[in-house]
Amino acid sequence: MGKPRSTLAGAAIKRWRSEGRVAAWLHIPILQSHFIAPAASLGFCFHHAESHSSTLTLWLGEGPSRLPGYATHQVGVAGAVFDDSTRKVLVVQDRNKLKNMWKFPGGLSEPGEDIGDTAVREVFEETGVKSEFRSLLSIRQQHRNPEAFGKSDMYLICRLQPRSFTINFCQQECLKCEWMDLEKLAKTENTTPITSRVARLLLYGHREGFDKIDLSMEELPAVYTGLFYKLYHRGLPESYRTTMGVD
Amino acid sequence: MGKPRSTLAGAAIKRWRSEGRVAAWLHIPILQSHFIAPAASLGFCFHHAESHSSTLTLWLGEGPSRLPGYATHQVGVAGAVFDDSTRKVLVVQDRNKLKNMWKFPGGLSEPGEDIGDTAVREVFEETGVKSEFRSLLSIRQQHRNPEAFGKSDMYLICRLQPRSFTINFCQQECLKCEWMDLEKLAKTENTTPITSRVARLLLYGHREGFDKIDLSMEELPAVYTGLFYKLYHRGLPESYRTTMGVD
C-alpha cells in the first residue's frame, strides 16, 4: 500500500467517523496479508484469524472499544461410564504425564460438537467402550491453563451408560485402562482432585438415586429460526414443566 | 520475501520433516504481516490472531493435523437475582430487539473472568442492583449463533442474592427493568423459553428448598502449580466429602 492509498484510507476513516460509524471491519484472505501491516499503521488490530483468513477491527466511537470479543474458552468433556450392576467405572491413566493418576477418559470438543457427543466420542476413541449420554454431573472453569493458548478452559463431566464392556484402549494416549470399583476410586489417593470428587458424587448417586446428582438435558428452540440449543439443569417435577402446573 | 528466502524456508521445512518434527509454529507481530502471505504459500495457515500478533501453523506429520485447535466457545452469564422475602426476581427487557421479552440481565464474560463474577458485574451494569453469587442453576450450549463469529456459545444462569434493591438501569441496553413476582414470570408468555424454564426451576426451589436446584461452587487446586479452578456440582452430604466418609 503506497502513500496515496494510505492517505485515501485515512480519509475514509475520517469520513466514517464523521458519519457516526463506531467501527470498521476488515476481512483479509491469508494470501493478501500484505494489507495487514499498513492497516495496523492506521490503527486496525486483529479481532481473530483462522485457517485462511483474518479479521481486523478499528474502533471509531468514543471511549474504549465496545466491540464484542472473540471466543474466550476451549471446552473439554470427560465421561464417567458407570455400570450400575457391577458398581464399576471406566478409568484411564494418561501416557506422558509425570504422575500416573487415574482419571475419566475425555478430551477437547470439536467445533460445533455437543457436550454429550464429545464425551461418548472421546470415551470410545480412548478406551474402545461404547456408551450413551445420561446426564451432566459437573462443570469446571479454569483460567491461565498453559495448554489453552492464553484462553480459558471449561471442562464438563458427564454420566454415561455403558453399551459395551470390552476395553481396547488407545496406546498412544493411555498407559492403563480398566473397570475399577467405584468405592476404590472414591478412596484412592492416586487420582486427581476432580476425579476423586466426582467419584464420591457418583457413589452418592448410586446409593441414594442418580436424581440426586444429575443435571438432565433437553433441546429447546433458539430465538434464531430453525436452530435449537441444549439446556442442562436439575430435573423438575412434571407439575412445574407446564404453565398450568405452577399455580 | 524474495526467491532465495522462500527456497531457504522450503529447505528448513524439509529438514524439520526429516528430523521427525510434526509441526512448525510462526508468531508474527502485526506490523510484520508481510511475512504471512509467503508463509501461506509454503502451506502455513492461521492458528489464531489477537490484537497485535498472529500465530500460524504448518502440520509436518503424517495424515491430517493433530494439533490442538483454538478456543471454540464464547461464554455468557445471566443472573437470576431473587429476593426470597418478597418472592420477586429482577428482570429486564432488551432495547433493540424485535420482540420485547422479559429476561434475566446478563452478558458475555471478559477474558479470565469467573462465571459468578460475570453474573454480578453484568447485573450491576445493566440494572444498578448489587448482588452476591449463590449457585449455578443452568447451562446452555448453542452452535451457529450468528453473533458468535462462527464459534459456539455457552450460556450459564446463576442464582444471585440481592444486596441492594434500587433499580437504576442502563438506558442504552434496556427498555425496562423491574422486580417481578416470580410466579408471574413463571406464567407469562412474554418471555424466552430459557427464562421461563429457569423461573419454574426457581419457583420449585423457593417452595421446596434451593438445595433441590442448586449446583454449589468450590475452589480446588489445579495440576498447574499455584493455580486454582472453580468446580460446580450438586451439593454432597458431609460424609461423602472426606475419604473416611465413603466407607
Side-chain angles (χ1 to χ4, degrees):
Chain A
M1 205 184 256
K3 213 169 184 180
R5 273 211 217 164
S6 71
T7 311
L8 276 176
I13 289 170
K14 214 168 185 173
R15 194 178 66 244
W16 296 332
R17 220 174 237 131
S18 74
E19 288 170 0
R21 292 179 195 261
V22 294
W25 296 81
L26 272 180
H27 302 281
I28 301 183
I30 196 168
L31 290 172
Q32 257 118 68
S33 295
H34 55 280
F35 285 119
I36 298 174
S41 306
L42 294 167
F44 280 87
C45 60
F46 284 116
H47 183 269
H48 66 274
E50 191 175 34
S51 184
H52 294 91
S53 74
S54 63
T55 298
L56 286 81
T57 57
L58 174 64
W59 176 249
L60 301 168
E62 286 182 24
S65 166
R66 290 195 307 273
L67 293 176
Y70 194 58
T72 53
H73 285 67
Q74 68 176 21
V75 170
V77 190
V81 190
F82 180 62
D83 180 9
D84 218 9
S85 63
T86 60
R87 215 178 58 175
K88 284 181 190 294
V89 63
L90 188 65
V91 287
V92 296
Q93 285 189 8
D94 276 351
R95 193 173 280 281
N96 311 320
K97 295 279 169 180
L98 286 178
K99 279 188 182 176
N100 293 313
M101 295 198 280
W102 291 110
K103 56 189 277 287
F104 301 118
L108 292 179
S109 267
E110 302 285 345
E113 191 176 47
D114 282 332
I115 290 165
D117 294 339
T118 303
V120 167
R121 175 182 58 74
E122 283 284 346
V123 164
F124 182 73
E125 287 176 6
E126 280 190 31
T127 71
V129 170
K130 291 177 190 168
S131 62
E132 267 176 28
F133 175 84
R134 280 291 170 275
S135 71
L136 181 60
L137 293 176
S138 181
I139 298 103
R140 180 192 75 185
Q141 190 188 35
Q142 180 164 278
H143 309 296
R144 293 180 288 151
N145 174 335
E147 293 165 10
F149 302 99
K151 295 293 156 179
S152 295
D153 175 274
M154 192 84 84
Y155 197 67
L156 305 106
I157 301 185
C158 300
R159 184 167 73 81
L160 306 178
Q161 178 75 31
R163 284 285 161 251
S164 75
F165 298 88
T166 308
I167 289 172
N168 178 15
F169 70 91
C170 172
Q171 309 278 341
Q172 281 187 319
E173 285 192 65
C174 305
L175 191 66
K176 294 183 192 171
C177 175
E178 64 176 60
W179 289 100
M180 184 183 282
D181 183 85
L182 180 59
E183 269 198 32
K184 186 181 162 197
L185 181 63
K187 280 190 223 174
T188 185
E189 289 185 10
N190 190 23
T191 188
T192 61
I194 191 169
T195 309
S196 180
R197 177 63 61 88
V198 172
R200 288 155 202 210
L201 197 64
L202 271 177
L203 196 59
Y204 176 52
H206 171 64
R207 288 175 179 170
E208 307 287 332
F210 287 122
D211 64 298
K212 288 268 196 284
I213 62 169
D214 282 347
L215 301 188
S216 50
M217 183 272 286
E218 197 173 341
E219 206 165 52
L220 289 176
V223 291
Y224 311 104
T225 314
L227 297 185
F228 288 81
Y229 54 74
K230 286 190 169 149
L231 188 68
Y232 304 80
H233 60 65
R234 290 282 297 153
L236 262 181
E238 194 54 43
S239 61
Y240 283 87
R241 298 176 62 86
T242 57
T243 311
M244 299 304 291
V246 300
D247 292 294
Chain B
M1 204 185 257
K3 213 169 186 181
R5 272 210 218 164
S6 70
T7 310
L8 275 176
I13 290 171
K14 215 169 185 175
R15 193 178 66 245
W16 295 332
R17 220 173 236 134
S18 74
E19 289 170 359
R21 292 178 194 263
V22 295
W25 296 81
L26 273 179
H27 303 281
I28 302 182
I30 197 167
L31 290 172
Q32 258 119 67
S33 294
H34 55 281
F35 285 119
I36 297 174
S41 306
L42 293 167
F44 279 87
C45 60
F46 285 117
H47 183 270
H48 65 274
E50 191 175 35
S51 183
H52 295 91
S53 74
S54 63
T55 298
L56 286 81
T57 57
L58 173 64
W59 176 248
L60 301 168
E62 287 183 21
S65 164
R66 290 196 306 275
L67 294 176
Y70 194 58
T72 53
H73 285 66
Q74 69 176 22
V75 170
V77 190
V81 190
F82 180 63
D83 180 9
D84 218 8
S85 62
T86 59
R87 216 177 58 174
K88 285 181 191 292
V89 63
L90 187 65
V91 287
V92 296
Q93 286 189 7
D94 276 352
R95 193 172 282 279
N96 311 319
K97 294 278 169 181
L98 286 178
K99 279 188 181 176
N100 293 314
M101 295 196 281
W102 291 109
K103 55 190 276 287
F104 301 119
L108 292 181
S109 266
E110 302 285 345
E113 190 176 49
D114 282 333
I115 291 166
D117 294 339
T118 304
V120 167
R121 175 182 57 74
E122 283 284 346
V123 164
F124 182 73
E125 288 176 7
E126 280 189 31
T127 71
V129 170
K130 291 178 189 167
S131 62
E132 267 176 29
F133 176 83
R134 279 292 169 274
S135 71
L136 181 60
L137 293 176
S138 182
I139 298 105
R140 179 192 75 185
Q141 190 187 35
Q142 179 164 276
H143 307 298
R144 293 180 288 149
N145 174 335
E147 292 166 10
F149 302 99
K151 294 293 156 181
S152 295
D153 174 274
M154 192 84 84
Y155 196 67
L156 304 106
I157 301 185
C158 300
R159 184 166 73 80
L160 305 178
Q161 178 76 31
R163 283 287 160 249
S164 76
F165 298 88
T166 308
I167 289 172
N168 179 14
F169 71 90
C170 172
Q171 309 278 342
Q172 280 185 319
E173 284 191 67
C174 303
L175 191 68
K176 295 183 191 171
C177 175
E178 65 176 61
W179 288 100
M180 184 184 283
D181 184 84
L182 180 59
E183 269 196 35
K184 186 181 163 196
L185 180 62
K187 280 190 226 173
T188 185
E189 288 185 11
N190 190 23
T191 188
T192 61
I194 192 169
T195 308
S196 179
R197 177 63 62 87
V198 172
R200 288 156 203 212
L201 196 65
L202 271 178
L203 196 59
Y204 176 53
H206 171 64
R207 289 174 180 170
E208 307 287 332
F210 287 123
D211 64 298
K212 288 270 197 283
I213 63 168
D214 281 348
L215 301 189
S216 50
M217 183 273 286
E218 197 173 340
E219 207 165 52
L220 289 176
V223 291
Y224 311 104
T225 315
L227 297 184
F228 288 81
Y229 54 75
K230 286 193 169 147
L231 188 68
Y232 305 80
H233 60 65
R234 289 283 296 151
L236 262 181
E238 194 54 45
S239 60
Y240 283 87
R241 299 177 61 86
T242 58
T243 311
M244 301 302 292
V246 300
D247 291 294

